[in-house]
Amino acid sequence: MGVLLEFSAFNSLAGLYKQKEGLSMGGKVSPCLANIFVNMMEMDIIKKHIESGNIISYHRYVNDICCIVKKGLKDEILDEMNKFDHHLKFTEEPMLEGKLNFLDTTITFENNQIILKQYRKPEASDCLINFKKGVAPKA
C-alpha cells in the first residue's frame, strides 16, 4: 500500500498535483483503499468493543460513523481509534438537545422512539451543476 500512497497524484483544470499524504480525492482506487483501511481499524478496535458490549450500535458510511457507546467509554474508544494511525483524526459530534445529524439525516430520540428527518447543512447550496458545461464527469 506504501507505493499507492507515495505515488498518489491527481489532475485538475489547474494542473497535475502530487498528494502529500493520504489518498487523492477522486482517485479511482481511493474509495476502495480508504474502505479497506477503515475496515482494518474496525477489525482491530471496534470489533472487540462490540463483542465486549462497550459499543451498543455501530454504523459507518465511508468515513462517517454513527456509534452508540456505554456511558463513560466514548473518550477511551475515540482515543484508540485515533492511535490506530497518526494520519487519521476521528472527531465526534455530540448529540445536542436529543438530536444528532448524521449524513443527510437528523436522528431524534423522543419517548423511546427514533425519529428520522432530512438534514441539510446550513452552508448547503441549491446551486446545481450545468450538465452540459460542468467540469464534473458525466458518469
Side-chain angles (χ1 to χ4, degrees):
M1 186 150 2
V3 171
L4 292 169
L5 294 175
E6 178 64 29
F7 297 103
S8 183
F10 62 95
N11 198 6
S12 75
L13 293 175
L16 182 68
Y17 294 91
K18 182 182 184 309
Q19 190 79 17
K20 290 183 179 179
E21 65 181 28
L23 301 165
S24 59
M25 288 191 65
K28 293 183 189 314
V29 297
S30 295
C32 293
L33 291 175
N35 193 39
I36 290 168
F37 195 77
V38 175
N39 187 266
M40 290 167 51
M41 182 277 300
E42 289 171 334
M43 292 295 106
D44 190 44
I45 296 167
I46 302 302
K47 184 178 178 183
K48 71 178 181 186
H49 284 290
I50 290 173
E51 289 172 350
S52 68
N54 294 339
I55 293 179
I56 298 160
S57 178
Y58 180 88
H59 306 279
R60 174 174 67 92
Y61 179 78
V62 188
N63 64 337
D64 290 318
I65 298 168
C66 183
C67 185
I68 300 173
V69 302
K70 281 188 174 178
K71 201 173 223 171
L73 295 175
K74 174 191 57 117
D75 292 335
E76 175 187 329
I77 294 170
L78 187 61
D79 187 51
E80 282 185 59
M81 291 168 66
N82 282 323
K83 286 181 180 174
F84 182 74
D85 185 280
H86 70 279
H87 291 104
L88 291 179
K89 175 70 174 144
F90 290 95
T91 58
E92 57 111 6
E93 185 174 325
M95 180 174 272
L96 299 173
E97 299 175 9
K99 296 180 181 180
L100 176 67
N101 297 320
F102 179 64
L103 301 174
D104 61 350
T105 306
T106 297
I107 304 167
T108 308
F109 293 99
E110 291 179 10
N111 303 322
N112 291 330
Q113 289 186 352
I114 297 174
I115 299 168
L116 305 175
K117 293 181 182 173
Q118 182 181 18
Y119 171 73
R120 287 184 49 103
K121 292 182 179 178
E123 62 272 8
S125 169
D126 290 330
C127 181
L128 302 174
I129 295 174
N130 183 319
F131 180 76
K132 293 182 180 178
K133 296 182 181 180
V135 295
K138 296 213 184 313

